[in-house]
Amino acid sequence: MLFGRGKKNPIKIADKGVVDWRYTTCGYCSTGCSMEIGLDKSGIPVATRGVGGADVNQGKLCTKGIFEHELFRTDGRGAQPLIRDRYYESFQECSWDTALDKTASEIQRIQDTWGRDSFAIVSTGQIMTEEFYTLGKLTRGVIGTNHYDGNTTLCMASAVSGYKRSFGSDGPPGCYDDFEHTECLMAIGSNLPEQHPIIFWRLHEALEKRKFPIIVVDPRVTMFAQMADIHLPVTPGTDVVLLNALAHVILDEGLEDRAYIDAHTSDAAAFEKLVEQYDPISSSRICGIDEDTIRHVARTYARAGSAMTIWTMGINQSTHGSDGVVGINNLNLITGNIGKPGGTSLSITGQCNAMGTREWSSCSGLPGYRKLESAEDRKQIADFWGIDEDFFPRERGMFQTDIFPAIESGQIKGMWLIATNPMTSMPNTPRIRKMLEKLEFLVVQDVYRDVETNEYSHVFLPAAVWAEKEGCFTNTERRVNLTRNVCEPYANSKPDLWIFNQLAKRFKRDRKPHFPNTAEEVFEELRALSKGRMLDYSGMTWDKIEQQRGIQWPCTDGDESGAARLYTDGQFQWDDGRARLIPLSFVDNNETPDEDYPFWMNSGRVVEHFHTRTKTGKIGNLNKFSPTPYMEMNPDAARELGVEHGSYARLTSRRGDAVVMVQLTHRVAPNMVFIPFHFHECVNRLSLGLLDPYSRQPAFKQCAVKIEMAVDQDAAAVTNVAARTY
Ligand code: SF4
C-alpha cells in the first residue's frame, strides 16, 4: 500500500493474483526494456513490471510497457486463417493447409506468369531476429524475388544510408552509457521524453549527476525543447544547412580536431571547400537560426571534451534524410567525436526490432551486413545455405516506397505483407488504397485480423504476438535482448517462424536451404555466420543474453560480454579504414507553404501510442489518455481563421483532407501545425511523401496544408471518431 499526500487517502495497488513472473523484453519501441509478465493461477497474463537488474531500464517502464500484458487478449486478434470467397467479397475461415497452399500456389502462379520479381514481400521491424533471418532465407533462397523490403524504410532507412555513406557500414556507433560521459548533447528532430521515455530517463539521470548543455533542434517547442539549454526552431527541411553552418564555424575558428581528421578521415579538402559557402549569415536566412546562435552552438559543441548527437524522425523523414545523417557524422568526425565515451552519432531507432531486420533480414542485402553486390558475400551465404550462388540477384531490388508505385505501373502483381499496415503508415492513403485493390493476390500476415490493410487481402494468416513466441530483438544501442514466451499463441494463430517454415516446404527447388524448427537453432546459424565480422554474435547464447539482460554486439567467441561502442580504434569499414567526410549541397526540393496552402504540417508521436495503433489502439488506458486525432495550432493563427480550441477543423493538402480536433498551443509557430501520425485516415491523407534519393524514405514531416473550421461540427465529430475506431 502506498500513501498519497497527507497520508489520508492511501493508494491501493490491486492484488492481481500473480503466481508466476516470466522474463521477456518489451515489444514496442527500440529502447529494449527488460520486463516480467505476471501470470495468474490460470496462466493468464495479468500484470507487467520492469526488471530491476537490467542495464537498459533498471526496473522502469513507460506507460505502453506497463499495460503490455493486456495485448495478448485484445479484440480483433486473428484466430483462424481466412480466405476470400470466390467472388472476393467476404472472408471464410479455413485450415492452415488451405491458406498456405493457396498462398504458395498464387506466388508461384504470379512468378510463372509475370516473372520472379513480379511478386513483392514487405515485412516489418516487429518480429524476432530469428524470424527475420528465416524470412530472408525463404525470400532470397527459395522464392527468389528481389523486391523485398521492410517497413523500416519508413523509419530508419536514412540512418542506415547515412551510416553506410560515412562509415562504410550500418551500425550505430554509440550507446546509452554515452550520456554518462558526454559534455554536450545535441538532439535533432527527436522528442525523446515522449518517443523514448526510458532513454530520456537515462539521460535525465546522467544530468542529475553532472550538468552538461542540452541543445534541441526542432521546429516545434517539444517537451524536450522545453528542458533544453538551447532550442533551435529550425525551418523544416533545412537541417543540412544548419549542420554545414556549424561545420563552417568550427573550421573557420580552428576548433576542429585536426589530428583526428588527418588520421581517420578521407576527402576532407572537398568537404572543407563546400562548407566555406555556408557562413552563418547566409545560412541563417535559410535555416531560420540567427548567426550568433549558430556560432554559439558550434563553439559549445566543438569545445566540449566529448559531444554527441542523437536524432530520430525529424532527420530521417525528409527528402534529404540521408544527407542529414551524413551531416551529423561530418560534425562528429571533424570534432573527433566518434568511438569515444560521450562522443558519438546515435540514431534513436523506432521499432523494437528495426535493428534486427537491418542486421539479418536480407532486405537490402544478405545476412550479417553482407552485400548482394559482393561475389564473396553471395558465395559465403550460398555455401552456408547449400544453394546455387547464381540464384541471388547482383544488387538489391526496390525499396518499399518504390514497390507500391510499381503496382500502379503493373510491374508488381502480387504481395505478401508481414506485420505492416501501409493503409495507415504510407503517405497518400487514397493512392495506396487504389494500389492494393489492383493486386492480383495479396496475403496479409498479422496479429490482428482488423488491421486496415486486411480489407484488401485475399488470404489472411493469423500470427502469434510478441511474447507468445521466443527470439531476440536488437535495440538502439546494438544490444541483443531475449524475448521469452510467456504464454501460448492465441487460438489458432501461429509464430511467424512456423509460418515461414511451412511455406518453405511448399516450394519446389533443386537445392533448398535447411529450415530449423526452433528459434534457438536458428540463432546458432546467426552465431556461425557472424563470427569474425563487425556484427559478431558468436560469443552470445540465449542463456547468456538472458543472464546479462542483453548483450551488445560485437561479442566475439569467448568474450564474456559485448562492446559498448564501435570504431574505438578509428578504423572504419571502408577499404582504406577511413571514414568519409562528404560535402553536402543543400537542395531545396520540398513542398513549402504558399498562398493556397499556407501552413507547414509536421507530424510525430505521442507517448501513449505506437505507430499505427494496431496494438495500442486496443489498450483501454492508452486510448483513454490519447483518444483522438488532434492538431496543435498556434492561438494567433487560429484567431485569424476563427478556429476555436476543442472544435473540429478540416485540413486540406494537394492530396486529400482530414478532420481533426483543435488544440491551441504556443508549442507550434503561427505558420505550422502538428498532428500525431498514429491515426488511420488522418495525417497520411495529407502527406506528400517525396522520397530521399539515397534511402527512399518519405518526407512525412514536411508538406503544406490549409485549414478551415469544419462547417458541420457534429458530422466532423463522427469522422474524427471513425479515425480512431477499430
Ligand atoms: Fe517498451 Fe519502449 Fe516503453 Fe521501454 S520505453 S517500456 S521498450 S515502449
Side-chain angles (χ1 to χ4, degrees):
M1 186 179 292
L2 303 175
F3 289 90
R5 196 178 299 148
K7 299 189 180 179
K8 281 183 186 159
N9 298 309
I11 299 165
K12 290 181 185 164
I13 296 179
D15 179 1
K16 303 266 187 73
V18 173
V19 297
D20 185 15
W21 288 99
R22 300 253 178 105
Y23 176 81
T24 196
T25 300
C26 179
Y28 284 119
C29 88
S30 68
T31 303
C33 295
S34 294
M35 57 171 48
E36 289 177 332
I37 302 292
L39 306 179
D40 69 9
K41 61 181 184 322
S42 310
I44 308 284
V46 290
T48 313
R49 68 182 185 190
V51 174
D55 185 60
V56 166
N57 55 315
Q58 295 161 29
K60 297 197 168 35
L61 297 174
C62 79
T63 186
K64 290 188 283 294
I66 286 166
F67 296 113
E68 207 158 352
H69 59 278
E70 294 182 18
L71 256 188
F72 298 106
R73 295 293 179 269
T74 45
D75 290 344
R77 286 289 307 264
Q80 192 70 26
L82 302 172
I83 194 162
R84 295 267 177 210
D85 66 18
R86 64 197 177 96
Y87 302 108
Y88 292 123
E89 283 170 1
S90 61
F91 267 140
Q92 316 263 327
E93 289 192 353
C94 66
S95 68
W96 272 102
D97 277 341
T98 304
L100 293 166
D101 287 348
K102 175 76 174 170
T103 300
S105 68
E106 280 295 294
I107 294 173
Q108 281 171 337
R109 179 189 66 77
I110 287 170
Q111 289 188 307
D112 290 346
T113 311
W114 303 103
R116 237 166 68 174
D117 288 340
S118 61
F119 190 84
I121 298 174
V122 178
S123 81
T124 177
Q126 292 284 301
I127 60 178
M128 312 292 177
T129 298
E130 294 81 354
E131 294 172 334
F132 278 130
Y133 171 75
T134 304
L135 174 62
K137 193 192 275 187
L138 173 61
T139 303
R140 295 271 178 223
V142 178
I143 295 176
T145 176
N146 196 18
H147 299 317
Y148 163 48
D149 197 20
N151 65 15
T152 43
T153 288
L154 307 183
C155 160
M156 294 312 294
S158 294
V160 173
S161 164
Y163 282 140
K164 285 181 177 171
R165 290 167 68 200
S166 296
F167 305 141
S169 173
D170 185 19
C175 58
Y176 306 153
D177 183 59
D178 284 316
F179 300 148
E180 301 287 337
H181 304 278
T182 196
E183 293 179 18
C184 178
L185 183 138
M186 181 156 68
I188 311 187
S190 172
N191 186 15
L192 206 60
E194 288 202 68
Q195 295 163 351
H196 297 87
I198 301 300
I199 302 180
F200 176 71
W201 167 76
R202 290 282 303 263
L203 172 63
H204 206 263
E205 285 263 300
L207 276 168
E208 284 191 345
K209 288 185 217 153
R210 184 178 51 85
K211 178 68 189 143
F212 53 89
I214 301 288
I215 301 158
V216 170
V217 182
D218 202 302
R220 174 170 163 249
V221 189
T222 59
M223 203 181 279
F224 204 4
Q226 288 171 41
M227 55 84 65
D229 298 285
I230 306 171
H231 173 215
L232 309 184
V234 67
T235 301
T238 63
D239 327 275
V240 166
V241 176
L242 176 64
L243 289 161
N244 279 345
L246 295 176
H248 175 104
V249 175
I250 290 167
L251 292 165
D252 190 50
E253 299 188 6
L255 301 174
E256 75 276 17
D257 185 338
R258 186 55 64 183
Y260 190 90
I261 294 172
D262 291 344
H264 301 298
T265 71
S266 61
D267 305 333
F271 170 73
E272 290 181 33
K273 189 163 187 314
L274 186 280
V275 297
E276 271 176 23
Q277 299 167 28
Y278 288 82
D279 64 274
I281 296 173
S282 316
S283 300
S284 71
R285 292 189 199 112
I286 304 171
C287 70
I289 307 301
D290 71 85
E291 56 174 287
D292 287 341
T293 304
I294 291 173
R295 287 199 182 90
H296 176 58
V297 168
R299 289 167 190 154
T300 304
Y301 200 89
R303 285 176 180 153
S306 59
M308 63 187 291
T309 303
I310 63 172
W311 75 93
T312 319
M313 295 310 133
I315 284 282
N316 292 345
Q317 292 177 338
S318 160
T319 48
H320 51 268
S322 175
D323 279 357
V325 175
V326 169
I328 289 167
N329 295 337
N330 285 341
L331 183 67
N332 287 323
L333 287 168
I334 63 169
T335 52
N337 278 308
I338 294 291
K340 73 180 187 189
T344 193
S345 301
L346 182 62
S347 51
I348 308 290
T349 313
Q351 301 184 70
C352 56
N353 204 18
M355 281 293 294
T357 185
R358 283 154 65 172
E359 297 164 6
W360 292 106
S361 72
S362 306
C363 279
S364 63
L366 289 167
Y369 287 159
R370 288 178 174 85
K371 299 181 179 80
L372 281 162
E373 294 77 9
S374 158
E376 189 188 339
D377 288 356
R378 289 196 304 271
K379 181 163 178 10
Q380 281 175 8
I381 296 299
D383 290 349
F384 192 85
W385 286 351
I387 65 168
D388 188 348
E389 187 206 319
D390 287 339
F391 195 65
F392 292 140
R394 299 290 190 270
E395 58 183 12
R396 72 161 293 168
M398 288 189 277
F399 291 70
Q400 176 185 355
T401 42
D402 294 309
I403 288 173
F404 277 88
I407 302 171
E408 270 178 344
S409 65
Q411 194 180 345
I412 297 295
K413 302 289 187 184
M415 183 180 275
W416 179 13
L417 295 174
I418 298 143
T420 189
N421 185 17
M423 274 301 294
T424 298
S425 61
M426 286 283 284
N428 203 341
T429 312
R431 190 175 167 204
I432 296 294
R433 178 180 290 112
K434 285 189 194 140
M435 294 169 185
L436 292 176
E437 285 172 345
K438 198 173 172 202
L439 288 168
E440 288 183 14
F441 181 71
L442 173 65
V443 52
V444 167
Q445 178 172 328
D446 205 288
V447 169
Y448 297 102
R449 62 173 285 174
D450 61 1
V451 65
E452 292 89 1
T453 304
N454 201 27
E455 276 185 41
Y456 304 89
S457 73
H458 301 93
V459 170
F460 169 71
L461 306 176
V465 74
W466 171 52
E468 290 173 347
K469 313 179 287 181
E470 281 193 312
C472 294
F473 295 150
T474 308
N475 80 349
T476 282
E477 55 170 1
R478 293 171 285 101
R479 186 181 299 273
V480 180
N481 288 309
L482 187 63
T483 300
R484 289 283 189 198
N485 72 314
V486 302
C487 59
E488 290 303 306
Y490 171 73
N492 199 17
S493 64
K494 298 286 185 190
D496 296 274
L497 183 68
W498 182 91
I499 299 171
F500 300 146
N501 282 352
Q502 295 304 311
L503 262 178
K505 289 181 187 165
R506 286 165 165 80
F507 288 87
K508 306 250 178 300
R509 293 278 180 260
D510 293 340
R511 299 180 70 201
K512 240 164 80 167
H514 167 64
F515 285 82
N517 283 325
T518 70
E520 196 161 5
E521 287 173 78
V522 177
F523 189 79
E524 290 305 310
E525 294 198 9
L526 310 187
R527 292 182 66 198
L529 277 172
S530 63
K531 192 168 183 172
R533 299 182 68 80
M534 182 173 90
L535 167 68
D536 196 334
Y537 276 35
S538 62
M540 302 181 203
T541 62
W542 270 21
D543 285 343
K544 210 164 137 185
I545 295 169
E546 182 172 350
Q547 280 158 18
Q548 296 190 28
R549 309 312 197 200
I551 297 177
Q552 285 167 284
W553 63 256
C555 177
T556 53
D557 200 8
D559 274 1
E560 260 321 290
S561 57
R565 296 173 186 85
L566 300 179
Y567 310 126
T568 50
D569 57 1
Q571 286 298 301
F572 294 88
Q573 290 293 304
W574 288 111
D575 287 343
D576 61 3
R578 289 170 175 267
R580 302 271 190 271
L581 280 169
I582 301 173
L584 304 166
S585 295
F586 174 63
V587 181
D588 191 2
N589 58 359
N590 219 329
E591 185 176 70
T592 52
D594 57 19
E595 257 183 35
D596 296 331
Y597 298 90
F599 291 88
W600 285 106
M601 187 189 77
N602 185 5
S603 64
R605 303 176 218 202
V606 296
V607 69
E608 294 85 4
H609 287 302
F610 189 71
H611 287 199
T612 66
R613 289 170 69 252
T614 314
K615 293 179 183 173
T616 52
K618 296 186 168 71
I619 305 292
N621 276 315
L622 300 179
N623 260 337
K624 194 161 75 187
F625 298 146
S626 179
T628 194
Y630 67 90
M631 161 180 75
E632 288 184 357
M633 185 178 192
N634 185 284
D636 298 334
R639 199 176 309 114
E640 276 186 29
L641 292 175
V643 171
E644 293 166 12
H645 185 76
S647 65
Y648 293 98
R650 180 177 303 281
L651 280 83
T652 310
S653 75
R654 291 181 176 87
R655 273 70 57 195
D657 65 344
V659 173
V660 290
M661 185 179 274
V662 177
Q663 190 176 96
L664 297 185
T665 170
H666 285 283
R667 284 167 62 137
V668 286
N671 67 343
M672 181 180 296
V673 295
F674 170 84
I675 306 182
F677 68 49
H678 308 285
F679 295 89
H680 180 53
E681 297 286 353
C682 190
V683 140
N684 283 328
R685 288 172 62 87
L686 306 161
S687 56
L688 168 59
L690 284 173
L691 302 180
D692 179 280
Y694 296 96
S695 67
R696 312 303 287 160
Q697 185 159 349
F700 281 112
K701 288 182 164 289
Q702 298 124 36
C703 75
V705 295
K706 62 183 173 189
I707 298 166
E708 59 192 340
M709 272 287 271
V711 178
D712 184 339
Q713 288 286 309
D714 292 338
V718 172
T719 308
N720 191 254
V721 168
R724 68 186 200 231
T725 307
Y726 278 95

